[in-house]
Every structure is written in structure tokens, then in C-alpha cells.
Amino acid sequence: MTTTDMGKTLRKYDMSFFMTAGALFLIGILNLYSATHADSGEPIFKYQILKFIFALCIGIPLSFIHPKTIFRYSYVIYGINILLLVLVLLIGKYALGAQRWLGIGPIRFQPSEMMKISLVLALARWFTKTNVDRELNLLDLFIPALITLVPVILIVIQPDLGTGLILLAIFSISSFYRRLSVRSIVILAVLGVVSSTAMYRFGLKEYQRNRIRTFINPQVDAKGSGYNAIQSQIAIGSGQLFGKGFKKSSQASLNYLPENHTDFVFSVFNEEHGFIGSFVLITLFGVLIFRFLQLATSVNKFYESMLSVGLMSILFTHTAVNMAMVTGLLPIVGIPLPMMSYGGSSLFTFIICCGMATSISNSRNIF
Amino acid sequence: MFGEEEIVKSHKPRAATIGNIIVIVFAVILARLWFLQIYKGKMYLDYSLRNRLRKEIILAPRGMIFSRNNVMLVDNIPRFDAALTPQYVVDKLATIKKLSKILSMDEDSIKKILAKNSNLPKYKSIVIKKNISHREVAIIETESNEIPGVSVETFISREYRDKDVGAHLLGYISEISQAQLPKLQKRDKLNYKLGDFIGQFGLEEELDLTLRGEDGNEFVEVDALGRKKRHIGDESLYHGVENVPSIPGKNLRLTIDNDLQISAYAALEGKVGAAVMVDVNTGEVLAMVSRPAFDPSMFSKGLSADYWGSLVNDENNPLRDRNIQEHYSPGSTFKMIIAIAALEEGLIDENTDMSCEGTLALGRKVYNCWRKEGHGRVTVVRALRESCNIFFQKIAKRLDIDVLAKYARLFGLGSRTGIALPREVSGLIPDKEWKKKKIGIEWQLGETLSCVIGQSYVLASPLQLVMAYSVIANGGKLYRPHVVKEIFTNSGQIISQSTPEIMSEIKISPKTLKIVRQGLTEVVNHPAGTAYFRRGKGINMAGKTGTSQVIRMSQEKLFSNCESFEYKYRNHGIFVSYAPSFDPKAAVAVIVEHGCHGNTSAEPVAAAVMQTYMKKYWPDLHKKILDEEKGPVKTKTVANTTASPNDGSSKESE
């Protein structure tokens, strides 16, 4: 490639995804620094920056891979991921409690985290194959449901209910976009209510049931999980319109907020930057999410469209669920806020989402 | 695929619906934020600023430590600190003035402490004075309304009942340091914070995770001045918050006998040295003291710079356990090993006699026996009894150093005993390979001649020596020494119990064993033995004296009086023994640094502890031995007084 070609490529390269995500990450890292500056020990925001750079090392090359290639390997990636999930369970049997991690040399990762993307890939490919010109009925959903439920079951028994629900949300949004008939939607909604009631009764672990009980009626809380919710709301509320200012969060630094650097970063942000700050932040998340949605309607390959919607659904469900749980709209389920919560695995997932979206966008201009 | 663009287009309405849903979801979240931050914002701000639900840590009491006879050795007592929380202070200068009066500190030093901590968040309390008196506590409590921001913080500090007795064994706890924090967090996977106390020495360090409990927490509501409020304001905001009680640490019952500890420590009074006693049939450590020591209570009460400085700058290093953290040339106590090696290898038998003329030449080098005129013809029993150097050095000419090393290692020398205490040294048993690797030169025969009398490269800790002699006492079993008998909870439930652990069983022929035991018995009980004069009453020890040379001496100084040397050039005195010689129960090793001779400095200490032991645990046996000593032994007294106080230090010169 000559220099002029390189320049042309760069000019045509769609930077919108990485730039928006990068902006969110920057806000996130300042927020992490603020949330943990009073803690003793190693400053974790440094690790987070390293993880971000590492994720970009995978995400940017990915953006140069043609969507066709991704299409070709969709099922293979899905299959490997299922095997890894089984492996986690097998190894997990020898360890104690929930086993979500798998280690390869120095790198540790959660196959359940990768499963979100693998599921999007597999569903996008399946939905592209069958009767794309008409609405779907319940019968058409049989195979996609199977594709979804296998990993959901494997993940829920880890146990990781939160991620299992995210996968169901991805399935729902993807099916909805792939023109599931209104009649089917109604039937599924009724079925969903019935099965979730049954699930609550028989399928949940005691601590999971407690969280839901706490959410509905905080008085019954036995283990103090109501404490997190209350402290989070105090943090958010006390931020008022303008917030207390950078590094001024008293709730977070007093350790009133547990896990203030993972699931509760949004509370810290709200306490310090108030309603105005969170309005800006939510707008930024909205820009990124709508960029995915817009990409889905502007491509001319249906697989790419399905893929964009799927990736969007990962980003959207995480953002919405995290914000809803820390503000007390949903029970605390342990879902990180994209680009802002501390943790490598989820950061990795969102960067890969951005990389794939960029690849789809670029495929019209560069390849 | 045909018409894909149309297909994408046909899905546009659904994308629009999804877009609308997203907008609605974010609108709901924003509405909720508006409700929390604008509508209820003032209320929440009030909660976060004024009426705080504070999570207070309840420190878990640390496990207590008892002796084998259930005497409490380590206990917890509350300690009070005066602290100041800048956030709640109304008038800073007035508060400092009042505090300086109450705590009798000058104002500048209070200001200095505050300045040092000025980078901390305002709501964090700063300790102004540690370990304040009950009177000071009372004044602060009664005047709390006039000095907002000043509070009394309670800690649990450790009290070591016998102060410096056994300080090294019990160890101490102190605050985690900045440097330790990341390392310990990783090692224990516990979320330690600065200010946490952890075991830093001895058993407190080794069994820190057992002794430390789990901290609990308690939710209290505090008002704008940091005072705890009795009534919780808005019930609806705080329901469902529950306190977590702390879980106390587990208690230890040691194998240590407190009477023996005190007896050994008293016997070492005014000396620099150490004594360790073990049960030869179990490996249980009965006593283990080292001098000089320190008061471990001082560390958890808030160590003063002066006290710390006095410990660190003391050239006798009170912070070192000489039983396990120091190794010495074992001197003549090492000859027991040579005797066994020579007998087992068939180089000599009980009747082999060699002549000692006082010197032995090897090339240009001349080796001296401690007795200038020599011992004449000596057998192995007599060589042990009178600690003849030349006898063993003549054997050394035929004994390969690697074979010698093999025997020494069988007795556990040259490697850690495996006692569960931190920073044990391994000692050193040299061989050809070691020297080649370490120094790069081939082994010299002359070095073997120095090694057989326990000098040169040979190094052993007192604990290693007492374990090696226990092997002779019990007929061949090398135990792992241990100090903890039981771990149990406050409710009396036993969590674990130690059992004797045999590290290896050594096959020594009964004949060899008998000869060596005979030699060791005569060292103490034969009038010509090197340890005869200070042998104690009613214990019937068998053992060996030794002198650990501190510096290489010139020919002329060699036979001059050790006590006339400058203190730091005097030799160390060592004595290792077991008792009673005919039915061994316990063994003891004693080192007295710069004590000149094993029999004058170390042996009286061993005899004192052994007497306490026999009186307490085997009173009948003790009485029997006493009776026997009064009887026929009378006729034997002081028949031959040629044994000089010198006991066979290495006399070598060019």
C-alpha cells in the first residue's frame, strides 16, 4: 500500500465508533480515579488504561476484517465458545462456588462475556438464511431459541443470572428486528410472564430471590443488599443539579458504596456531576447506540444489518440495566456500565462491538 | 443474494420502533434521575451530609495463646486513642488548645500531626495520641459537647503476660506498613487496609490467619458533629440494613511450659544467648527463650520511637531469636556426629585407641589439642568425655568429608528443622560439591580436620543441635519440632491437634548408640568429663560441651585465659544435653555468646531448666536420682581434677 492509498484509507476509515467509545472511556477513567483515589493500595485506573490499550490492539485490527469473513466463521466461533462454557463448568466443578473464569497463561477471561458476541454472530447468520422476505412466526424461532437457550442454561448454572438475562435480551431484540409477528410477540410475552414466575419459584438460588424481594419490598431484606441500593440512591440524589464536583464524592470515598469502581460507577458519576452531568453522559451513550442502529439501516447486506442490531443490543441492554439498577428501577444484578466500569472482560466485549461495527461501516468504503 | 437492499429496507420500521423504545428507556432513566436529584435532591444531600448512616467496623478479637498447662500467655486488652475528625471541628484553634491541655501535649505537635494528615479526606479521623489513660478518656467523653470532632477510638491491643519472656517465640503484632500492603493483599487474598494490625514476628506472624478473626460491621447513624444518634430518623430510608457480628480469632494451646520458660529465661539473666528444650519422644518444644529480648506488648500499644530505636540500635540485636534465626559453629558438640560416623563406617571400634601428644601436623600446619600436654592414649568414649581434638582429627584423615556430611544431614543438620516459625536459618554442612560451587576451590584435607571439631564452615542453630541430640536420646527418630499443641475456638471446639511427626528414622546400630551414649554420659558424670563440675542435682544429664570460636587465634593467645580477652573476641559457650541419661525424657541446647566455655556459661542454664523440668514432670524419678547421687557416688568425688574449664575449642595455628 502506498502512502497515498494509506491516506485515502484513513480518510475513509469510520472513526465514529471508536471515538465515541473512547470519549466514554475517558470519562470513565476520570470517574474511576475519583472513585478510588481515597483507597489504599495500587491505583486501579492504571490497570484499566492498560486493559483498554490491550483491547484496542484486538479491536482495531478487527475493524479491517471484512464482514464476509466474520459471516463465514460465525458458527465456528459460536461452537468454540459453547465448548469453552462447558469447559468452565467442568473445571468449575473442582473449584468452589461460581466459576466464570478460564485462564490461558497469564490471560484470564470469561467465556460467558464472549458469548454475548458469539450469540449475536450466530443469530445474525441464522436470521439471514431463512425466509428473509416475510414476517417470522413462532415456529421460525425454534432454532434461534435453541441457539440462545443452550448458552443461557450453561451460564445460569455457573451461576451468572445477569449475563443469562442479557443473552435473552439480545435474542429478543434480534428477533424483534427480524420482523417477528405481533401475534407471536403477544404469545411470547404471556409465556415469559408465566415462566419467569415459575423460575422465581423453583429455578433461582436463595440469594438471587433475595435480591428480587429486596427490590420489590426492601423491608424483607435479610443480608443487607438493600444497603447498596439505598446508598446508591443517596449518592445519586445528593448530587442534585450540578453535583458535588470532581473527587468530592463522599458516599463513594467513605466506602458507603461497595464496589464503587465496578457496578456503581454511575452513582459516583451522578454524585459528582449531578443531573446535568448525567444528562450529557446519557446523551453520549445515546449517540453511540443510535450510531449502531443507523448503521443497521444504511448497509445493503442483510447479515451486516442483523449484526449491527445485535451488537447494538449488547451495548444498549448493559447501559439501560446498569443505570436502572443503580437508580433503583431494577434489582441489583451486577451488570457493568459499558466503557466505564472497572474490568477487562466487559471492556474487551464493547471494544470488539465497536471494531465489528467499524468493519461493517468500512466495508462499503475501503475494502 | 437477490434484493438484499430491499430486505434491509423492509426492516426499517422495526429499527424505528427499537429506536423509539431506546428513547423511552433513557427518558425513564432521566426521569428517575430528575426525581432523585432535583425533586428529592435536597433530602438526599441532607442524608449524605448530616444524617449519615455510617458503617463502623467491629474489630474481631484476636485469638488468645495458652501454655501447655493452660496458663494464659497472650491476652487482648482494650486500648484507647484520642482522635480528631476535621469535618466536625467548629473552631480549630480552640479545639487544639483544649486537646493539648487534656492530653498534656504541646499545641505544635498536635498541629504537626494534623498537617501531616492534611491530604486525607476531611471525614477521616486522625489519631492524635495513642494509648491514652482512663482519666483522659473520661475527660474527653464528658467534654465532648464543647470539643466537637474529638473522639475516643477503641482498639484491641495485645498483652503478653510475661512481658519479654519468650517474646521471640510469641512474636508481636503491629500496623501493616505501606510497603507490605500490596504483597500481603496478594498473598492472603484479604482486603487489608493501612492501620490494620497483623502478626509480624514469631507465632503471631506464622499463624496470623488463624489468630485473626473476621471483622464485623455495625451501622450507626451519626449527626452533623459525628456523634452517634440513638434514634434513626427516617425509618423508610434505612430498613433492611443489618449488622454483621465479628468472628473472634482462634486460640492456641502451645507445647510450651511457662515454668520452664521462666526458669530458662532467668538462668540466662545478664547473658546474651538462648536456650531451647524439647521432649525427645515427641518433638514438642517445651521451652524456647532468647536474650536479650523485647516487650512485645509495646508494639500493639503504639511503639514509641525511642523504644524502637533502642531495639534496632542495640548491638546484641534483641529482635533476633537466637534459637532459630542464628547459627553458630557447633564446636565440640559436633564430635558426637564424628563418633557415630567413624563407628558406623568401621573406621574405629570401642577399643581403638589413638595417642594424643597435644599436637598433630598436617603439611606445614599444626593442629593443637585444647590440652597442651595431650591426653595420651584415648578411646572414643574418653575422647568424647574429655573432648580430645587430636583423636577426632586423626579419624578425619581417613573420613571423607562427603561421608561426614551424609551423617550430619541424617541428624537434620544443614537444613531447616521445619518448625512452624518464620525466618528459620538452615545452618551449613559443607561438602566437596558445596565448596566447589560456592568458593570455586577443591576441598582441602585440612578443612576436614577443622570441620570434625565443629569449626570451619560447619554451622548449626541451637534448635538443630537439640534435635540432633534428641535422636541419640530416643534411639534414632528425628522429629519435626513443633510449638502448637492445639488450635481451638472460644467455645472450646478443637479445630486441629498436632501429633508427633517423624521426619526420618535413622538406623544406627545399637552398639554404636551404646558407645556414644556412654561417652556423652561420662562427659557429665565422670569426674574427668568436661561437664562434671556444674552437672546439677537429680537430673543425670548426658551431653556435650562446645566452644564456638569467634576469631582465629594466634599460637600465643591460644592457651591464654579466654576471660582476659575483650568481650567481643571471647568464644561462645555451647552445651547440648538430654536427661536422664538412662531413660531420656527431654533434651536441651544452650548457647551463651562470648561465654568462653560451654561448661562454665551454658551448662548451668541447661542444668537449671532440666531441674525445673524433672521436679515438675518426673518427681519420682528426680527423687530416685537424688538418692543415688547421695549414696555410692560419694566415694568417687573429685578423684581426678585434671579437667580444665577449657573444653576443646579448636586450637589451630599456622
Side-chain angles (χ1 to χ4, degrees), chain A residues 173-361:
Chain A
I173 294 173
S174 295
S175 323
F176 179 79
Y177 180 65
R178 181 50 205 94
R179 292 172 67 201
L180 184 62
S181 66
V182 177
R183 214 177 63 117
S184 310
I185 293 170
V186 171
I187 296 172
L188 277 181
V190 172
L191 229 88
V193 170
V194 173
S195 65
S196 57
T197 314
M199 174 106 161
Y200 175 77
R201 279 280 165 85
F202 309 110
L204 292 189
K205 296 248 153 70
E206 192 52 38
Y207 79 94
Q208 292 166 331
R209 229 183 324 240
N210 265 334
R211 280 183 185 169
I212 295 169
R213 269 193 223 131
T214 311
F215 167 67
I216 297 166
N217 183 3
Q219 270 104 329
V220 297
D221 176 34
K223 288 278 176 222
S225 48
Y227 179 75
N228 296 1
I230 290 162
Q231 292 303 340
S232 170
Q233 283 169 49
I234 291 178
I236 292 169
S238 66
Q240 292 186 291
L241 186 61
F242 297 107
K244 294 175 183 169
F246 186 59
K247 276 170 64 172
K248 295 276 165 57
S249 157
S250 62
Q251 292 289 116
S253 11
L254 263 183
N255 286 325
Y256 285 144
L257 269 180
E259 312 203 31
N260 52 29
H261 59 290
T262 54
D263 292 348
F264 288 95
V265 282
F266 190 60
S267 318
V268 178
F269 185 84
N270 268 284
E271 188 182 358
E272 296 189 344
H273 306 289
F275 185 74
I276 297 203
S278 40
F279 188 85
V280 173
L281 187 69
I282 288 175
T283 309
L284 202 53
F285 271 111
V287 166
L288 185 59
I289 290 164
F290 271 92
R291 182 72 192 89
F292 275 90
L293 203 57
Q294 193 232 334
L295 181 69
T297 55
S298 63
V299 291
N300 44 27
K301 292 273 191 304
F302 188 56
Y303 171 74
E304 295 173 6
S305 178
M306 274 314 303
L307 193 55
S308 306
V309 169
L311 297 173
M312 184 279 301
S313 68
I314 298 177
L315 197 65
F316 171 64
T317 45
H318 278 88
T319 312
V321 171
N322 179 278
M323 288 179 175
M325 80 183 192
V326 298
T327 51
L329 291 169
L330 280 181
I332 311 283
V333 280
I335 297 293
L337 187 63
M339 306 307 299
M340 288 183 66
S341 284
Y342 179 73
S345 279
S346 71
L347 192 63
F348 206 71
T349 304
F350 301 120
I351 292 292
I352 286 181
C353 287
C354 291
M356 283 189 177
T358 308
S359 134
I360 294 168
S361 178

Side-chain angles (χ1 to χ4, degrees), chain A residues 54 80 84 87-88 91 99-111 114:
Chain A
F54 181 67
I80 290 171
L84 288 176
L87 203 63
V88 162
I91 298 167
Q99 180 82 10
R100 300 172 189 177
W101 297 91
L102 216 57
I104 298 170
I107 302 164
R108 290 196 317 154
F109 72 105
Q110 289 173 285
M114 285 305 302

